[in-house]
Amino acid sequence: MIYPITVYGDPVLRKITTDIERDHEGLEELINDMFETMYNADGVGLAGPQIGLTKRVFVVDLSPLGEEDPLLRDFKKAFINARIIEKSGEEELMEEGCLSIPGIHEKVYRKNHIRIQYFDENWNENDEEYTGYPARVLQHEYDHLDGVMFVDHCTPLKRRLLKGKLTDISKGKTNATYRIKIPKA
Ligand SMILES: [Zn+2]
């Protein structure tokens, strides 16, 4: 099932999410639906709040980049109850976009190395470290679990310049190629 994607201005994107319970009903289906929704929108990552779910879950698929970077060849993962326990390395400036902010791409700074602990869809516990692009994507998705969006990392000046476009998005004025859920006025 493909969910409509929540967009900037929807309060659900500003909520702090809660852990998924072990007996969460339909978890496998939820994960499959999140991947399907993400692929349909040509995204590389999708977090719970983006389908209106205030739970600590996100999915990421970087495997299409496996040709450039063999480490990413099998990188199709669900992250349940993730905790980033360390951010380190250099502050790196890289362009980001977000399915919940269609049409806007901006460069933001993030640390280029992280350590993350999480459960996969089979409740196997993982403790992994990432550098560079995967660290970037995981921090972006992880932010969604805490109600943070990538434009929050832009400078105040940049945010002021984006304000009009963000307001348009919150009113449903976007040219997104996928179905969105327009926030209530
Ligand atoms: Zn996003």
Side-chain angles (χ1 to χ4, degrees), residues 3-130:
Y3 285 87
I5 292 178
T6 57
V7 294
Y8 193 90
D10 193 318
V12 78
L13 290 166
R14 293 307 193 180
K15 295 248 166 72
I16 307 287
T17 58
T18 56
D19 277 346
I20 290 207
E21 304 289 334
R22 284 269 180 169
D23 57 358
H24 186 94
E25 210 173 302
L27 182 60
E28 192 185 342
E29 197 182 352
L30 170 68
I31 300 292
N32 288 339
D33 288 346
M34 287 182 74
F35 275 116
E36 200 184 341
T37 301
M38 181 186 85
Y39 293 136
N40 178 64
D42 287 326
V44 295
L46 185 78
Q50 296 183 278
I51 58 164
L53 181 72
T54 52
K55 288 286 172 190
R56 297 190 75 83
V57 56
F58 59 85
V59 297
V60 174
D61 187 354
L62 301 180
S63 62
L65 300 169
E67 275 179 36
E68 293 161 45
D69 183 350
L71 284 176
L72 300 180
R73 201 172 290 151
D74 301 314
F75 199 115
K76 179 187 173 184
K77 294 168 186 273
F79 294 80
I80 295 167
N81 301 346
R83 297 284 185 273
I84 289 180
I85 59 162
E86 193 188 311
K87 294 183 186 179
S88 57
E90 288 180 18
E91 293 278 351
E92 213 167 42
L93 191 62
M94 208 186 276
E95 191 175 86
E96 294 187 23
C98 179
L99 295 178
S100 294
I101 313 179
I104 293 183
H105 295 86
E106 293 296 338
K107 286 182 176 172
V108 295
Y109 279 102
R110 293 189 193 271
K111 292 280 190 188
N112 83 338
H113 186 88
I114 61 158
R115 181 174 165 198
I116 186 168
Q117 293 176 340
Y118 65 99
F119 295 93
D120 64 22
E121 64 277 27
N122 301 312
W123 291 104
N124 295 312
E125 204 168 356
N126 298 279
D127 186 337
E128 296 170 345
E129 296 190 41
Y130 291 100

Side-chain angles (χ1 to χ4, degrees), residues 99-181:
L99 295 178
S100 294
I101 313 179
I104 293 183
H105 295 86
E106 293 296 338
K107 286 182 176 172
V108 295
Y109 279 102
R110 293 189 193 271
K111 292 280 190 188
N112 83 338
H113 186 88
I114 61 158
R115 181 174 165 198
I116 186 168
Q117 293 176 340
Y118 65 99
F119 295 93
D120 64 22
E121 64 277 27
N122 301 312
W123 291 104
N124 295 312
E125 204 168 356
N126 298 279
D127 186 337
E128 296 170 345
E129 296 190 41
Y130 291 100
T131 304
Y133 187 62
R136 162 83 39 175
V137 174
L138 295 181
Q139 288 177 82
H140 175 119
E141 298 311 327
Y142 187 84
D143 268 357
H144 278 300
L145 307 181
D146 293 326
V148 175
M149 304 188 79
F150 85 90
V151 289
D152 301 344
H153 295 291
C154 289
T155 62
L157 171 64
K158 183 50 101 181
R159 280 208 302 274
R160 230 166 22 246
L161 294 171
L162 288 174
K163 204 173 173 210
K165 282 190 196 170
L166 293 171
T167 302
D168 281 349
I169 291 170
S170 69
K171 291 175 178 163
K173 283 187 236 162
T174 91
N175 49 9
T177 56
Y178 42 88
R179 198 152 66 92
I180 60 167
K181 179 178 171 285

